[in-house]
């Protein structure tokens, strides 16, 4: 019988669980500090997290199941490198799912829901004002996850979290340097439409927003994978 993600998780007296390792790697991907094609050396991951090899392997398997990591026979684990077809599929899925989410929120959101979204947009604006690009990137992706949280559907939340992370891979691979996940002001415009309970405008703006992100990608270009894996993940 196959094990669920939770059943895989064991915690020793010290060191992170598999899910904590997954969360750290996903965060680095969403913040575009781990570009597509980066090799995830088991030895370096063990060193970085202070975890045993089996625990790291289980974390990599979980990431592979989410489409974040490619496991290649005799070569190891790499941050996935989506192609142009995958990019179109991801944005098509996001457009359909997030349009449904935004319609539901625009119809049903209460004052607390709207306050949560407005507070998130304010945090984005503050990060942008102080020039904290890493935080802007993180918050930009998390805005879409926050919408799923407000919609109160755990299945959609899980799916969108994965799609947002995979979008960050696309932006790292095909995006213009210096550009964050989402254009300025568009999140605030979406929240404004929700506040006005304008379902049609909210959906139209969400579709435009996602199309804007996709059109900002150069699907013929790729970036070289970088950097020092240990330094990247220790700074998470």
């Amino acid at each position: 019988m196959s094990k669920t993600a939770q059943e895989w998780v064991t915690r020793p007296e010290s060191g992170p669980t598999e899910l904590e390792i997954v969360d750290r790697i996903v965060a680095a991907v969403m913040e575009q500090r781990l570009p597509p094609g980066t090799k995830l050396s088991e030895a370096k991951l063990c060193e970085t997290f202070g975890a045993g090899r089996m625990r790291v392997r289980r974390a990599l398997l979980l990431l592979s199941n989410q489409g974040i990591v490619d496991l290649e026979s005799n070569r190891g684990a790499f941050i996935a490198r989506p192609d142009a077809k995958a990019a179109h599929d991801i944005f098509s899925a996001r457009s359909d799912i997030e349009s449904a989410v935004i319609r539901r929120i625009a119809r049903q959101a209460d004052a607390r829901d709207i306050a949560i979204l407005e507070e998130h947009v304010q945090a984005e604006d503050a990060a942008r004002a102080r020039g904290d690009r890493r935080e802007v990137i993180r918050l930009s992706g998390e805005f879409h996850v926050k919408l799923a949280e407000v919609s109160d559907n755990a299945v959609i939340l899980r799916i969108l979290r994965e799609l947002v992370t995979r979008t960050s891979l696309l932006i790292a691979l095909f995006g213009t340097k210096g550009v964050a996940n989402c254009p300025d002001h568009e999140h605030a415009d979406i929240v404004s439409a929700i506040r006005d309970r304008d379902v049609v405008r909210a959906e139209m703006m969400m579709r435009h927003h996602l199309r804007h992100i996709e059109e900002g990608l150069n699907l013929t270009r790729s970036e070289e994978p970088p950097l020092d894996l240990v330094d990247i993940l220790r700074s998470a």
Side-chain angles (χ1 to χ4, degrees), residues 23 26-33 120 123-124 127-128 130 132-146 161 164-165 168 179-182 187 236:
D23 286 345
V26 166
V29 170
M30 288 186 66
E31 295 165 13
Q32 298 169 21
R33 294 181 292 112
H120 190 93
E124 287 185 53
R128 195 174 291 111
R130 64 177 181 267
D132 188 344
R133 182 173 180 270
R134 175 173 165 180
E135 185 69 356
V136 170
I137 290 172
R138 185 186 72 80
L139 290 170
S140 292
E142 282 294 325
F143 174 79
H144 295 266
V145 177
K146 191 71 66 176
R161 190 179 295 278
V164 167
T165 304
S168 291
V179 175
N181 292 43
C182 298
H187 288 171

Side-chain angles (χ1 to χ4, degrees), residues 175-217:
T176 304
K177 286 188 180 296
V179 175
N181 292 43
C182 298
D184 298 356
H185 79 74
E186 292 187 3
H187 288 171
D189 292 344
I190 290 169
V191 174
S192 176
I194 292 170
R195 189 190 310 112
D196 294 341
R197 299 202 178 280
D198 190 332
V199 176
V200 173
R201 179 162 61 98
E203 180 180 359
M204 179 188 68
M205 295 183 72
M206 177 57 76
R207 288 188 181 275
H208 169 79
H209 177 59
L210 293 171
R211 188 165 58 249
H212 193 170
I213 299 171
E214 183 176 10
E215 289 173 350
L217 303 179

Side-chain angles (χ1 to χ4, degrees), residues 5-232:
Q6 290 292 342
E7 288 171 335
W8 275 115
V9 177
T10 58
R11 180 187 288 276
E13 293 182 1
S14 63
T17 66
E18 288 90 335
L19 292 182
E20 288 168 340
I21 294 171
V22 167
D23 286 345
R24 290 272 294 278
I25 292 174
V26 166
V29 170
M30 288 186 66
E31 295 165 13
Q32 298 169 21
R33 294 181 292 112
L34 273 182
T38 303
K39 182 173 176 58
L40 299 177
S41 159
E42 285 186 7
K44 286 191 175 182
L45 291 176
C46 291
E47 174 190 349
T48 301
F49 294 116
R53 191 172 292 271
M54 290 307 298
R55 173 154 297 186
V56 165
R57 286 178 178 173
R58 289 193 292 267
L60 291 173
L61 180 59
L62 292 173
L63 287 162
S64 175
N65 290 339
Q66 296 176 30
I68 308 304
V69 163
D70 290 333
L71 299 178
E72 300 183 13
S73 179
N74 300 319
R75 294 193 66 226
F78 299 82
I79 298 296
R81 294 181 67 91
D83 58 16
K85 172 64 165 58
H88 290 308
D89 289 349
I90 288 168
F91 278 101
S92 177
R94 285 192 63 176
S95 183
D96 289 344
I97 293 169
E98 294 194 60
S99 292
V101 167
I102 209 73
R103 287 197 302 270
R104 179 176 180 177
I105 295 173
R107 292 189 185 105
Q108 301 180 4
D110 58 22
R112 180 177 176 276
D113 295 330
I114 293 170
I116 288 171
L117 296 174
E118 289 177 334
E119 181 178 345
H120 190 93
V121 170
Q122 289 167 6
E124 287 185 53
D125 290 341
R128 195 174 291 111
R130 64 177 181 267
D132 188 344
R133 182 173 180 270
R134 175 173 165 180
E135 185 69 356
V136 170
I137 290 172
R138 185 186 72 80
L139 290 170
S140 292
E142 282 294 325
F143 174 79
H144 295 266
V145 177
K146 191 71 66 176
L147 289 171
E149 291 176 354
V150 168
S151 77
D152 195 27
N153 185 311
V155 174
I156 288 177
L157 173 60
R158 186 179 70 248
I159 292 170
L160 263 184
R161 190 179 295 278
E162 177 181 325
L163 288 172
V164 167
T165 304
R166 294 178 73 176
T167 301
S168 291
L169 279 172
L170 293 172
I171 293 171
L173 187 60
F174 300 117
T176 304
K177 286 188 180 296
V179 175
N181 292 43
C182 298
D184 298 356
H185 79 74
E186 292 187 3
H187 288 171
D189 292 344
I190 290 169
V191 174
S192 176
I194 292 170
R195 189 190 310 112
D196 294 341
R197 299 202 178 280
D198 190 332
V199 176
V200 173
R201 179 162 61 98
E203 180 180 359
M204 179 188 68
M205 295 183 72
M206 177 57 76
R207 288 188 181 275
H208 169 79
H209 177 59
L210 293 171
R211 188 165 58 249
H212 193 170
I213 299 171
E214 183 176 10
E215 289 173 350
L217 303 179
N218 178 358
L219 297 176
T220 64
R221 184 175 63 83
S222 64
E223 297 292 335
E224 291 297 321
L227 309 179
D228 184 272
L229 181 62
V230 174
D231 287 345
I232 292 169

